[in-house]
Amino acid sequence: DIVMTQSPDSLAVSLGERATINCKSSQSVFDNSYNKNYLAWYQQKPGQPPKLLIYWASTRESGVPARFSGSGSGTDFTLTINSLQAEDVAVYYCQQFYSVPRTFGGGTKVEIK
Amino acid sequence: QVLLVQSGAEVKKPGASVKVSCKASGYTFRNYDINWVRQTTGQGLEWVGWMNPISGNTGYAQNFQGRATMTRDNSISTAYMELRSLRSEDTAVYYCVRRAGLGHLDYYDHWGQGTLVTVSS
């Protein structure tokens, strides 16, 4: 199984500042034949199910604000929230869909400082 | 809009079974795989398995092989997940999720609201 490790477990960021979340996979999730990283990011607000933010490591889902961006390749990925807003308080998860079983990171809780 | 509406919370005793339903609307049910993901306080998000509504083909994570069964009723656009031989560690919120598409689109673009299953004697 591919193990997904997120860091930090939590972070507090001032409104308008940048939040950076890291995700590391135990093996590469890059598909050479399709030239894609099979990595998604989800946002979960309290009392709600997760919501898809980014797929293929850097493609924003329709309707997701441009302040959310994903980067990285192979085994190391980053979710960046530029200019943090109050509504961005949530837990963020990465997930690989390169191999079965699909696996998720442990989550990173983002709070306002 | 796409909606996945799940059945209500369940309380079960150890050793019992539970069957959770997931009714889809807003899209052609047969055209998208349904997966199930559970969320526990201790283990976070855990993938249970997948089902193709056209063929009925399924696949399960090893932890659920032999205990979970995913089925569907295409006439009412509803997917089901049954979990047997419940134990306290199965206490979790279970989500049905829609796979975004075929081939490489194997991420989850819509989630049900979740069903809390509590296993307690």
Side-chain angles (χ1 to χ4, degrees):
Chain A
D1 299 3
I2 296 178
V3 177
M4 308 299 290
T5 303
Q6 287 185 232
S7 62
D9 291 337
S10 64
L11 74 161
V13 177
S14 300
L15 289 172
E17 297 300 306
R18 177 181 299 167
T20 301
I21 300 168
N22 301 301
C23 174
K24 187 175 184 67
S25 56
S26 61
Q27 62 191 75
S28 176
V29 298
F30 180 71
D31 185 334
N32 289 291
S33 57
Y34 199 59
N35 199 33
K36 296 284 188 187
N37 286 285
Y38 286 23
L39 189 285
W41 288 97
Y42 300 88
Q43 174 194 63
Q44 185 176 31
K45 296 182 179 180
Q48 296 183 19
K51 170 192 168 185
L52 177 67
L53 290 178
I54 286 169
Y55 55 93
W56 290 335
S58 61
T59 302
R60 263 191 312 276
E61 172 71 335
S62 174
V64 173
R67 64 180 180 274
F68 291 92
S69 63
S71 63
S73 184
T75 61
D76 292 280
F77 301 91
T78 301
L79 175 69
T80 301
I81 311 171
N82 284 306
S83 188
L84 189 79
Q85 304 297 303
E87 61 264 32
D88 301 333
V89 168
V91 179
Y92 294 84
Y93 296 93
C94 60
Q95 180 229 339
Q96 64 81 18
F97 50 100
Y98 181 83
S99 68
V100 172
R102 309 304 187 206
T103 48
F104 294 84
T108 295
K109 186 174 186 179
V110 174
E111 300 172 305
I112 304 296
K113 186 187 291 182
Chain B
Q1 78 281 25
V2 173
L3 279 177
L4 299 172
V5 179
Q6 299 182 221
S7 48
E10 303 263 11
V11 179
K12 297 291 182 181
K13 293 193 183 303
S17 300
V18 68
K19 191 171 186 178
V20 180
S21 68
C22 170
K23 183 169 177 60
S25 61
Y27 72 99
T28 302
F29 176 69
R30 294 165 59 92
N31 288 354
Y32 295 82
D33 285 4
I34 290 289
N35 286 229
W36 292 84
V37 174
R38 76 178 184 182
Q39 185 167 33
T40 62
T41 304
Q43 300 298 318
L45 291 164
E46 183 178 17
W47 180 75
V48 179
W50 63 271
M51 182 199 64
N52 178 277
I54 294 178
S55 64
N57 288 345
T58 56
Y60 304 97
Q62 190 157 9
N63 286 349
F64 301 96
Q65 291 271 5
R67 277 207 310 140
T69 301
M70 295 174 188
T71 57
R72 87 291 189 209
D73 183 340
N74 289 341
S75 69
I76 54 172
S77 300
T78 299
Y80 304 91
M81 186 206 62
E82 182 180 32
L83 190 61
R84 299 176 293 280
S85 301
L86 290 168
R87 35 204 188 230
S88 58
E89 309 89 270
D90 294 319
T91 294
V93 176
Y94 289 77
Y95 294 102
C96 63
V97 301
R98 191 185 83 160
R99 179 182 170 180
L102 299 176
H104 304 281
L105 303 179
D106 205 1
Y107 46 89
Y108 309 132
D109 63 353
H110 289 89
W111 294 59
Q113 85 277 18
T115 296
L116 174 62
V117 175
T118 303
V119 183
S120 174
S121 55

